[in-house]
């Protein structure tokens, strides 16, 4: 079985490689990539991969767009997202983009192998503790006030309100008594949940919704 293992952290790739090699019942040919450019070059180069394990947060491309690009370049490859994000809407967007499975990085090695085997058998696999919404994530322009409330946590709505005011992460962190890295994580989660590409789109949407 030929596996494409794509993650921008070498230590994580090494750990996953060890898990795969120790738990697999068959010989593996594992090829590694550290960004989306490498991933696309490998699949477009006729790598004939059976399965691709793909992190959403690598450099070079938006993760959801990358899923579609990989599927178009290699329609026969089974694509499994392996991500630190456990947000149900992120999982929903990954599946809608064409992923065959979604495994959280917090999952144990046995769960990871079970997920890969399940996908290779033709099933869609999602880490069991995540409840995936049945409906697709609405486009940014289609979100109403009620959906906005359900998509974001109260703290994320506070951050979104300050994005509307044009405040920087540093200013938001100061006003909400948060670490700047925490604000950055909230902003990333907000953009993904609302389907926005940048802070400006999120601010415009917030203005429409009266946040």
């Amino acid at each position: 079985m030929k596996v494409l293992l794509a993650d921008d952290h070498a230590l994580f790739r090494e750990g996953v490689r060890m898990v795969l090699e120790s738990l697999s019942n068959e010989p593996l040919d594992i090829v590694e990539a550290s960004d989306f450019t490498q991933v696309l070059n490998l699949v477009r180069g006729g790598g004939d991969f059976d399965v691709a394990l793909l992190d959403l947060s690598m450099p070079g491309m938006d993760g959801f767009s990358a899923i579609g690009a990989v599927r178009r370049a290699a329609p026969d490859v089974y694509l499994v997202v392996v991500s630190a994000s456990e947000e149900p809407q992120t999982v929903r967007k990954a599946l809608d983009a064409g992923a065959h499975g979604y495994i959280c990085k917090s999952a144990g090695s046995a769960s990871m192998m079970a997920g890969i085997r399940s996908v290779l058998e033709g099933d869609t696999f999602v880490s069991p503790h995540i409840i995936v919404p049945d409906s697709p994530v609405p486009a940014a322009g289609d979100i109403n006030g009620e959906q906005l409330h359900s998509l974001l946590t109260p703290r994320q709505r506070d951050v979104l309100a300050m994005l509307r005011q044009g405040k920087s992460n540093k200013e938001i962190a100061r006003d909400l008594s948060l670490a700047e890295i925490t604000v950055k994580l909230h902003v990333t989660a907000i953009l993904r949940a609302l389907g926005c590409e940048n802070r400006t789109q999120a601010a415009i949407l917030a203005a429409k919704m009266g946040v």
Side-chain angles (χ1 to χ4, degrees), residues 7 12 53-56 80-84 102-105 112:
D7 193 286
F12 181 78
L53 304 179
L54 189 72
D55 181 29
L56 285 178
V80 180
V81 170
V82 182
S83 174
Y102 193 105
I103 299 173
C104 297
K105 287 186 175 181
M112 178 177 293

Side-chain angles (χ1 to χ4, degrees), residues 50-206:
D50 296 294
V51 60
L53 304 179
L54 189 72
D55 181 29
L56 285 178
S57 302
M58 293 187 298
M61 195 174 188
D62 172 72
F64 303 111
S65 300
I67 292 172
V70 171
R71 290 300 313 281
R72 289 190 295 273
D76 295 330
V77 70
Y78 288 99
L79 193 153
V80 180
V81 170
V82 182
S83 174
S85 174
E86 300 185 6
E87 295 177 5
Q89 291 289 356
T90 298
V91 181
R92 178 74 268 167
K93 287 183 72 173
L95 297 178
D96 291 343
H100 297 95
Y102 193 105
I103 299 173
C104 297
K105 287 186 175 181
S106 60
S109 56
S111 177
M112 178 177 293
M113 285 304 301
I116 294 171
R117 291 192 182 104
S118 179
V119 166
L120 290 173
E121 290 171 0
D123 298 324
T124 298
F125 179 88
V126 174
S127 290
H129 65 285
I130 296 179
I131 300 175
V132 184
D134 292 329
S135 59
V137 179
D142 298 331
I143 296 174
N144 57 39
E146 183 178 345
Q147 289 172 318
L148 184 68
H149 191 275
S150 66
L151 288 171
L152 303 180
T153 67
R155 180 57 81 190
Q156 288 170 352
R157 292 197 294 274
D158 291 340
V159 173
L160 179 60
M162 293 190 174
L163 288 181
R164 180 187 174 185
Q165 298 172 26
K167 293 189 175 183
S168 67
N169 286 355
K170 187 174 183 179
E171 291 171 324
I172 296 172
R174 180 197 62 210
D175 292 350
L176 296 180
S177 299
L178 297 172
E180 193 169 343
I181 184 64
T182 302
V183 174
K184 184 177 180 180
L185 292 172
H186 279 316
V187 172
T188 300
I190 289 168
L191 297 183
R192 284 182 176 173
L194 302 185
C196 296
E197 294 182 2
N198 52 52
R199 299 164 70 100
T200 301
Q201 286 187 0
I204 292 172
L205 180 59

Side-chain angles (χ1 to χ4, degrees), residues 9-26:
H9 292 93
L11 188 60
F12 181 78
R13 295 198 307 273
E14 181 180 347
V16 173
R17 174 185 282 273
M18 292 175 63
V19 167
L20 295 177
E21 292 176 341
S22 65
L23 296 182
S24 178
N25 297 321
E26 59 182 298

